[in-house]
C-alpha cells in the first residue's frame, strides 16, 4: 500500500512550490506567454468576483459553502498574481518584503497600533504621499 501524503496546505507548501505548479499548468496548456496586461485585468476581475460574495450580504458568511466560494475566488486571484509575477520576472518574496519595509516606515507603530485608530494621521500621510509622488502606484 503506497504511503499517503498530507494534502497541500500553508504549512507544507512553499511559494516556490506554488510557482512551479502554476508554471507547469501554464506550459501544459500553452499559456506560459500570457500578456501582463491581460493578467492584471484578470486579477481585478477575480477580485470583483470575491467582492460579490459580500455584496448585500446580511447572512452568516462563515458557512462552509460561503467559505468555499471565497476560497475559490482567493485561489483565482493568487493564481493570476503568480502568473503575473512569472510573466514580468518579479520575485514575489523580494517585492513583498521590500514593500513591507516601506509601508512600515510610512505607517509607524507610534501612530498606528492596536486600539488606536488614527484616521486623521492616515489621511494626512496619504495626502502628503499623493502630493509628493507623480503616481500613486507605490501604495
Amino acid at each position: 500500500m503506497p504511503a499517503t501524503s498530507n494534502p497541500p496546505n500553508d504549512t507544507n507548501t512553499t511559494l516556490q512550490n506554488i510557482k512551479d505548479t502554476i508554471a507547469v499548468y501554464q506550459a501544459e496548456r500553452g499559456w506560459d506567454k500570457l500578456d501582463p496586461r491581460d493578467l492584471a485585468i484578470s486579477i481585478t476581475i477575480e477580485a470583483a468576483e470575491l467582492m460579490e460574495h459580500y455584496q448585500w450580504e446580511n447572512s452568516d458568511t462563515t458557512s462552509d459553502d460561503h467559505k468555499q466560494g471565497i476560497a475559490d475566488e482567493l485561489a483565482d486571484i493568487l493564481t493570476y498574481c503568480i502568473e503575473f509575477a512569472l510573466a514580468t520576472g518579479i520575485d514575489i518574496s523580494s517585492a513583498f518584503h521590500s514593500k513591507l519595509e516601506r509601508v512600515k516606515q510610512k505607517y509607524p507603530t507610534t501612530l498606528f497600533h492596536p486600539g488606536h485608530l488614527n484616521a486623521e494621521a492616515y489621511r494626512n500621510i496619504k495626502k502628503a504621499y499623493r502630493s509628493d509622488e507623480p503616481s500613486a502606484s507605490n501604495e
Side-chain angles (χ1 to χ4, degrees):
M1 180 177 195
T4 59
S5 64
N6 294 329
N9 61 49
D10 287 350
T11 303
N12 65 18
T13 305
T14 67
L15 180 57
Q16 189 60 52
N17 295 143
I18 295 171
K19 288 172 70 174
D20 293 345
T21 300
I22 290 173
V24 169
Y25 168 83
Q26 286 182 303
E28 289 173 343
R29 289 156 181 80
W31 296 345
D32 51 341
K33 302 288 187 244
L34 295 173
D35 181 20
R37 177 186 177 278
D38 293 335
L39 293 167
I41 291 169
S42 296
I43 292 166
T44 303
I45 291 168
E46 293 300 335
E49 290 179 12
L50 175 61
M51 290 169 41
E52 285 180 337
H53 286 269
Y54 295 96
Q55 184 180 25
W56 317 119
E57 191 66 42
N58 291 325
S59 62
D60 179 17
T61 58
T62 60
S63 72
D64 287 343
D65 286 343
H66 189 265
K67 282 186 177 181
Q68 185 60 56
I70 61 175
D72 288 348
E73 298 305 342
L74 181 60
D76 288 343
I77 294 164
L78 180 61
T79 299
Y80 280 122
C81 286
I82 291 173
E83 289 177 343
F84 182 85
L86 291 169
T88 58
I90 293 172
D91 183 285
I92 297 169
S93 293
S94 295
F96 169 80
H97 289 286
S98 173
K99 178 64 178 185
L100 182 60
E101 287 307 310
R102 292 192 314 273
V103 171
K104 285 179 179 180
Q105 297 300 313
K106 185 175 174 182
Y107 302 109
T109 56
T110 55
L111 294 174
F112 304 96
H113 51 86
H116 181 73
L117 174 61
N118 195 332
E120 183 178 347
Y122 176 79
R123 282 191 297 274
N124 290 338
I125 288 169
K126 293 300 273 189
K127 183 178 179 181
Y129 173 78
R130 289 187 176 128
S131 66
D132 289 343
E133 295 292 324
S135 134
S137 62
N138 292 331
E139 286 185 44

